[in-house]
Amino acid sequence: MSQSVYELIALAARYVFAGLMLLIVARAWRITIVDSRRAATLRRMSPQTGLSGELVVLEGDEKARRGMRYPVIREGMIGTSRRADIRIRHSSVRRRHAYFQLAEEGLRIRTHAGAPMRDAAGRPVKALTLPDGGEFILGQVRLLLVLAETPEPAARPRREFRDRREPEGGDYPDPDDLFREQPVLRHVVEPEDEQDFFDV
């Protein structure tokens, strides 16, 4: 093989590999954009798809700043991964940090693989149940839970009512019979008081 042919093949291979790299980067960028739009669409649709409340950042920095709000569905995962149901982009939060589920007493949260989590007082915990207005610290981000729907109280026992159905065949009692059944009160005048009674 001559030197010129070898140089042409090497140059062509260089352009082929460069084109492949550009194609990989372009496809990765496209997937990221599509996933971001899909996540934004799901967040907009969340009130119609089982939104339970939101997590509000009380203390944070980087991309999880104070005042940011994350919608909370009935169950899912918290982390930095694009597949996380609550995506908190912070260096102290892992890709899969914790799992949550809505229960009658509040939002149950448990960590994944020993990820750091603390309660409102700063004590390390592996699992906790947050009521409406409860606080906890995930990594270095302090969050407040605001529930959109409060748990329903226990159902009261149903009262039993008497059967008020109308009699069959339209047989209603005669009103005159009702009055006859009631005792009639009469004034009885004693003989000795009869004269005084008429004198009045």
Side-chain angles (χ1 to χ4, degrees), residues 120-142:
R123 296 185 296 265
V125 292
K126 293 183 178 179
L128 53 82
T129 301
L130 285 177
D132 185 22
E135 299 179 14
F136 72 111
I137 303 170
L138 201 70
Q140 296 177 2
V141 182
R142 179 178 287 269

Side-chain angles (χ1 to χ4, degrees), residues 6 8 32 60 73 78 100 115 127 130 134 139 148 155-156 194:
Y6 177 79
L8 287 174
T32 302
I73 55 178
I78 307 174
F100 65 91
L130 285 177
R156 296 180 180 177
E194 185 174 355

Side-chain angles (χ1 to χ4, degrees), residues 3-140:
Q3 185 69 22
S4 59
V5 174
Y6 177 79
E7 289 178 359
L8 287 174
I9 294 175
L11 185 61
R14 187 180 303 169
Y15 282 115
V16 168
F17 284 117
L20 287 175
M21 291 299 297
L22 287 175
L23 181 62
I24 292 172
V25 171
R27 286 183 61 86
W29 177 256
R30 181 177 176 276
I31 291 172
T32 302
I33 295 297
V34 169
D35 286 349
S36 298
R37 290 177 179 174
R38 185 179 303 163
T41 302
L42 288 175
R43 290 190 186 98
R44 285 196 304 271
M45 294 173 60
S46 58
Q48 290 82 29
T49 55
L51 179 67
S52 301
E54 58 186 6
L55 289 175
V56 183
V57 178
L58 298 180
E59 296 177 8
D61 54 7
E62 299 177 11
K63 292 187 178 181
R65 298 179 182 273
R66 181 177 180 179
M68 291 188 66
R69 298 171 181 267
Y70 301 95
V72 177
I73 55 178
R74 298 193 68 85
E75 61 179 337
M77 180 183 68
I78 307 174
T80 59
S81 171
R82 287 181 296 152
R83 296 187 177 183
D85 299 287
I86 300 178
R87 189 181 184 189
I88 302 176
R89 290 185 281 184
H90 194 273
S91 59
S92 63
V93 179
R94 299 181 184 179
R95 290 178 56 82
R96 294 182 180 179
H97 202 105
Y99 297 95
F100 65 91
Q101 183 179 15
L102 184 67
E104 291 185 358
E105 58 272 15
L107 191 69
R108 295 177 181 172
I109 305 174
R110 62 178 176 85
T111 60
H112 173 74
M117 182 173 68
R118 292 174 286 166
D119 59 10
R123 296 185 296 265
V125 292
K126 293 183 178 179
L128 53 82
T129 301
L130 285 177
D132 185 22
E135 299 179 14
F136 72 111
I137 303 170
L138 201 70
Q140 296 177 2

